[in-house]
Amino acid sequence: MRTLTVEVVKNYINGRWVESKTKETRDVFNPATGELIAKTPMSTAEETIKAIEAAKTAFRRWRATPVFTRVRYLNRIRDAFEDNFEDLCRILTTEQGKAIDEARGEYRRTIENLECATAIPSLQMGYNTEDIAAGIDEMVIKQPLGVFFCVAPFNFPGMVPTWFWPFAVGVGNTYIVKPSEQVPLSQVRQFEIIDEVGLPKGVLNMVHGGPEAVNALLESPDTIGMSFVGSTHVGKLLYKKAGEHGKRAQVQGGAKNFLTVMPDADLERSVPAIITSFYGCTGQRCLAGGVLLAVGDIYEPLKEAIIEASKAYTVGNGLEEGVQMGPLASKRGMDTVLSYIKKGVDEGAELLLDGRGIKVEGHPNGYFVGPTVFDKVKPSMAIAQEEIFGPVISIVHVKDLDEAIDIIHANRYGNASSVFTSSGGTAREYQYRVKAGNIGINIGVAAPIATFPFSGMKDSFLGDLHGQGRDAVDFFTENKVVITRWF
Ligand code: NAD
């Protein structure tokens, strides 16, 4: 593995590594040890504009590059990611904290997005109709538009940018990645690999930073559109600004996901999926379980099984093989989770398992919170309403499916929801009625693969076209209609 030294990470603009001139940086910590491992520059508007100019210039040649040539670069990047797989995973765990197997899962999905985008020669095909009138034909061409960018969150620093840029670049646009300032190193490593592959300069750029860089991207007359993934609060601000500046925008926001367990659920097979849904990635997933709705008399046996499985869940440094749950990604994240646990107690929920104060041997400064289970949670409580982004299960006992769906629909978010049942009829009703973008039937984390849109509804998504698959191809292209008549 590459040694991680404490340095201010560089931007990647026009095929070159460039030091930011800003004096403002953010510290990056290894969340398992509390060690300082890097610094992120809060790049200035001026530096960001340099990246936009490079991407704009590169677009002229790149859009005229044959589609199979463009895709061949994606294939080479895909192969290079595969060759550096373990290194990439270890860097991801070192800066983000998640268990190494979860990092491997994330990079598998990252590579799948590249693989999916190599189908662009087919995905970008338009369509035509002959003889719309005598001797006149009509066709649609899907053309690239110019410079796009993404603003990424801290929880999937390896994967999220690849929901977008392989599709954007594959169809002939040029691109700028703005990683989360909390976890810049995964993208730095990816760009080192991309640099070695030798993508033409300016096609793919990276600018580190925060609001100043993002505002420069949104305000520039030379950018076309933004893909944002992060909190709903920030997403809404940026969506509004994108509208004001005439940009295309897709905003994937926060979540509070409800898992419903019916009395006829197969508990033995459901509980492992439920547990992983809440504790996977230490609860820092937009698809993470948020509330467990126990329907009717499944409540007691479900509660018992959840407690037993929670106690057996192993917490530690994500780099150690076999550890199931790493630390929270930041001290701030840990403090937020701790404050929610306190709020749950204050609001009168019963704390069955308390993850506060967990000790991980050899890691006294890590941001650890252990599996936490609340019972007797009321839907009106903050722990049942708001995104905690930590390993906390809130159990709500409901009488039937209607009550469960009413609770789900009263929540502002609609990212994902799952039902556990052995009845096809119940499953069908759930998928039909529940207003959430990603539905799991006996699946705890309904994470769409690269060929499907990463959906989301209500306050979890703003826009119309989503990341990944055909939606991404439509987002990054413009349909041009051509009507022809030859004399
Ligand atoms: P965040 O909103 O704090 O930050 C996301 C990005 O926005 C970062 O790159 C950050 O630098 C930038 N940013 C923050 N404030 C800004 C501002 N005022 N102006 C311009 N840019 C700004 O989100 P986060 O804490 O990094 O990520 C966690 C959130 O992301 C959770 O709510 C989670 O549910 C959500 N998320 C959603 C999905 C999805 O697909 N729906 C996927 C992953 C994460």
Side-chain angles (χ1 to χ4, degrees):
M1 187 197 156
R2 207 172 61 112
T3 333
L4 297 167
T5 48
V6 180
E7 56 182 31
V8 181
V9 295
K10 294 192 177 84
N11 292 328
Y12 185 81
I13 299 174
N14 208 23
R16 287 192 315 117
W17 290 99
V18 190
E19 255 173 56
S20 168
K21 294 196 173 47
T22 183
K23 297 261 173 303
E24 203 193 331
T25 59
R26 292 277 184 283
D27 290 341
V28 179
F29 298 99
N30 175 336
T33 62
E35 239 181 302
L36 180 68
I37 52 174
K39 286 171 183 282
T40 309
M42 302 306 273
S43 301
T44 61
E46 209 178 305
E47 289 164 335
T48 309
I49 289 166
K50 289 246 161 44
I52 299 170
E53 283 167 355
K56 188 184 172 191
T57 306
F59 176 63
R60 285 183 215 122
R61 291 185 78 160
W62 185 245
R63 69 156 293 181
T65 303
V67 63
F68 276 102
T69 309
R70 294 199 302 260
V71 157
R72 230 164 269 140
Y73 284 107
L74 298 181
N75 259 320
R76 279 157 58 188
I77 294 170
R78 179 239 167 261
D79 289 350
F81 279 12
E82 196 75 83
D83 291 345
N84 290 278
F85 194 84
E86 277 303 308
D87 185 32
L88 286 163
C89 294
R90 291 185 75 79
I91 289 169
L92 171 44
T93 291
T94 305
E95 70 171 351
Q96 204 281 339
K98 66 181 64 177
I100 190 72
D101 260 348
E102 293 176 331
R104 290 178 184 127
E106 178 172 342
Y107 263 106
R108 190 46 55 211
R109 286 283 162 108
T110 304
I111 288 173
E112 283 170 7
N113 269 284
L114 281 154
E115 287 166 344
C116 179
T118 59
I120 272 169
S122 301
L123 292 172
Q124 200 179 351
M125 283 165 73
Y127 47 93
N128 58 61
T129 302
E130 202 176 41
D131 284 332
I132 56 156
I136 300 180
D137 305 329
E138 180 162 344
M139 67 174 155
V140 160
I141 311 170
K142 296 181 89 62
Q143 293 190 325
L145 291 100
V147 183
F148 283 85
F149 63 93
C150 71
V151 180
F154 76 81
N155 60 338
F156 283 86
M159 174 183 70
V160 165
T162 58
W163 288 350
F164 311 111
W165 75 253
F167 299 94
V169 163
V171 298
N173 298 293
T174 53
Y175 209 82
I176 300 165
V177 174
K178 205 299 282 171
S180 162
E181 63 275 31
Q182 205 178 305
V183 285
L185 297 173
S186 293
Q187 285 302 311
V188 168
R189 186 68 192 111
Q190 286 192 16
F191 271 80
E192 284 172 356
I193 294 169
I194 290 163
D195 184 60
E196 280 164 27
V197 165
L199 200 61
K201 63 182 188 173
V203 170
L204 191 54
N205 308 272
M206 171 172 57
V207 175
H208 296 284
E212 185 173 341
V214 174
N215 285 334
L217 289 162
L218 280 170
E219 287 164 13
S220 166
D222 292 323
T223 58
I224 304 293
M226 169 188 75
S227 302
F228 170 89
V229 183
S231 61
T232 294
H233 169 69
V234 175
K236 280 191 169 175
L237 291 175
L238 302 191
Y239 191 69
K240 184 161 177 263
K241 188 156 195 161
E244 284 164 5
H245 289 271
K247 309 293 176 204
R248 290 187 171 198
Q250 45 185 193
V251 162
Q252 301 190 204
K256 187 75 178 177
N257 305 313
F258 292 78
L259 272 63
T260 305
V261 186
M262 298 302 292
D264 63 359
D266 176 339
L267 262 199
E268 205 181 315
R269 285 195 269 188
S270 302
V271 167
I274 294 169
I275 287 287
T276 316
S277 170
F278 283 91
Y279 300 149
C281 296
T282 323
Q284 301 163 111
R285 261 202 289 227
C286 66
L287 298 176
V291 175
L292 188 57
L293 298 168
V295 180
D297 56 15
I298 198 78
Y299 168 66
E300 285 296 343
L302 174 65
K303 193 166 70 174
E304 260 173 47
I306 290 288
I307 291 293
E308 195 187 323
S310 299
K311 284 182 176 161
Y313 219 74
T314 56
V315 182
N317 183 341
L319 283 177
E320 286 165 22
E321 295 289 345
V323 160
Q324 288 171 295
M325 188 163 94
L328 272 311
S330 68
K331 171 148 190 333
R332 208 175 100 205
M334 177 180 74
D335 290 343
T336 304
V337 175
L338 295 176
S339 77
Y340 271 112
I341 298 176
K342 180 175 181 311
K343 215 179 265 184
V345 173
D346 292 347
E347 284 184 321
E350 190 181 326
L351 189 55
L352 295 182
L353 190 65
D354 188 352
R356 294 175 293 186
I358 186 175
K359 298 269 179 291
V360 173
E361 218 186 303
H363 293 80
N365 302 318
Y367 314 137
F368 294 99
V369 176
T372 297
V373 182
F374 276 111
D375 189 24
K376 305 210 164 46
V377 176
K378 296 208 171 63
S380 58
M381 291 177 179
I383 54 169
Q385 290 278 335
E386 296 165 22
E387 184 174 39
I388 299 176
F389 235 43
V392 180
I393 301 183
S394 298
I395 305 176
V396 178
H397 188 191
V398 296
K399 61 176 187 311
D400 55 22
L401 184 62
D402 283 337
E403 189 183 353
I405 294 180
D406 285 347
I407 292 171
I408 297 168
H409 286 174
N411 192 268
R412 63 186 284 224
Y413 296 110
N415 213 36
S417 188
S418 294
V419 66
F420 292 86
T421 180
S422 1
S423 152
T426 305
R428 206 276 176 177
E429 188 176 352
Y430 203 85
Q431 113 187 15
Y432 187 77
R433 286 176 60 195
V434 171
K435 198 150 171 55
N438 305 286
I439 297 285
I441 311 279
N442 295 317
I443 297 281
V445 185
I449 59 165
T451 42
F452 288 86
F454 199 102
S455 195
M457 293 178 179
K458 294 162 76 182
D459 258 3
S460 296
F461 182 76
L462 298 168
D464 41 22
L465 295 167
H466 298 255
Q468 299 194 150
R470 288 183 223 160
D471 262 33
V473 172
D474 285 339
F475 184 75
F476 293 119
T477 54
E478 187 159 52
N479 286 344
K480 182 181 276 178
V481 173
V482 182
I483 304 175
T484 56
R485 174 179 171 210
W486 289 94
F487 301 107

